[in-house]
Amino acid sequence: MPQWYDTGLIPKITTIYVVIFFDIILNCLFEPPSSDTTGVSGTLSLTSVVLFALQAFLVLVVIIVFYLMLSKTALFEAGLSWPIMKKFGVFYFCVFVNLLLLAGVRVYRIMGMSTITTRDGIWSMVGYYPLYIIQRLFSPIYYCAVIYTCQMLADPSHYYITQQTVSEILYQTSGHR
């Protein structure tokens, strides 16, 4: 029976931590807000597009690495992927909401920088400020969900399967609690 560390989790978890670190840095690169009002909207828009694409790519890397980690679990390899994926539903929700908020704020910012030339800049656009605040408040929740999910997947019990484990999971997913 292989050991849990033989599943290649350590490099995958390290990859996710590094990606989260760079995602936080990219999230901060959109600051300070006054940088949007310099009047060179074309250059800033291109920079914003590149940073947004890079940040969206990092979220996709988290999803791919998470799936690779999930595919090494014993339940997933035994064909019981639904119970193990259901267990990490909060992670999927957080990734989806984070991606939507990220896209909303970044697209709003890119559109605003290409059309607004006033000193107030993008902050004068209707709806941008609340969306920005919601995205900033949700980002730490997303980061915590990713880290917590990595910690849960590092549990060695996910990599060994017994008949009792299968019976318990099938009982729990059938609606009985």
Side-chain angles (χ1 to χ4, degrees):
M1 178 180 305
Q3 299 296 322
W4 70 271
Y5 50 81
D6 292 340
T7 60
L9 276 183
I10 294 172
K12 292 172 187 163
I13 290 175
T14 305
T15 301
I16 286 189
Y17 288 154
V18 168
V19 165
I20 290 298
F21 174 75
F22 283 116
D23 192 27
I24 292 171
I25 289 174
L26 285 176
N27 227 359
C28 295
L29 280 179
F30 280 94
E31 300 306 325
S34 61
S35 67
D36 299 328
T37 60
T38 59
V40 189
S41 60
T43 306
L44 289 174
S45 292
L46 180 60
T47 303
S48 293
V49 169
V50 170
L51 290 176
F52 167 57
L54 187 56
Q55 198 168 11
F57 173 75
L58 291 177
V59 173
L60 293 176
V61 168
V62 166
I63 294 169
I64 290 169
V65 172
F66 175 73
Y67 178 78
L68 291 173
M69 291 169 60
L70 200 61
S71 68
K72 291 294 185 178
T73 62
L75 289 173
F76 200 89
E77 288 180 346
L80 297 171
S81 59
W82 176 247
I84 192 91
M85 291 178 85
K86 187 177 177 185
K87 184 175 185 175
F88 298 107
V90 171
F91 169 78
Y92 293 119
F93 174 77
C94 287
V95 168
F96 178 71
V97 170
N98 181 60
L99 205 51
L100 281 179
L101 289 172
L102 176 71
V105 168
R106 300 304 183 237
V107 169
Y108 218 129
R109 178 178 287 230
I110 291 166
M111 287 179 0
M113 288 187 324
S114 63
T115 60
I116 294 179
T117 58
T118 64
R119 185 69 189 145
D120 293 335
I122 58 172
W123 299 105
S124 64
M125 295 183 347
V126 177
Y128 179 76
Y129 194 67
L131 185 62
Y132 177 83
I133 296 296
I134 292 169
Q135 192 266 337
R136 290 296 174 172
L137 290 175
F138 190 78
S139 289
I141 296 169
Y142 162 73
Y143 297 134
C144 289
V146 171
I147 291 169
Y148 179 73
T149 302
C150 282
Q151 304 256 333
M152 283 180 57
L153 276 172
D155 182 9
S157 67
H158 292 298
Y159 302 94
Y160 305 107
I161 192 166
T162 63
Q163 184 59 41
Q164 180 183 1
T165 306
V166 172
S167 299
E168 287 174 5
I169 288 175
L170 290 176
Y171 182 76
Q172 288 174 354
T173 58
S174 66
H176 299 93
R177 297 255 160 143

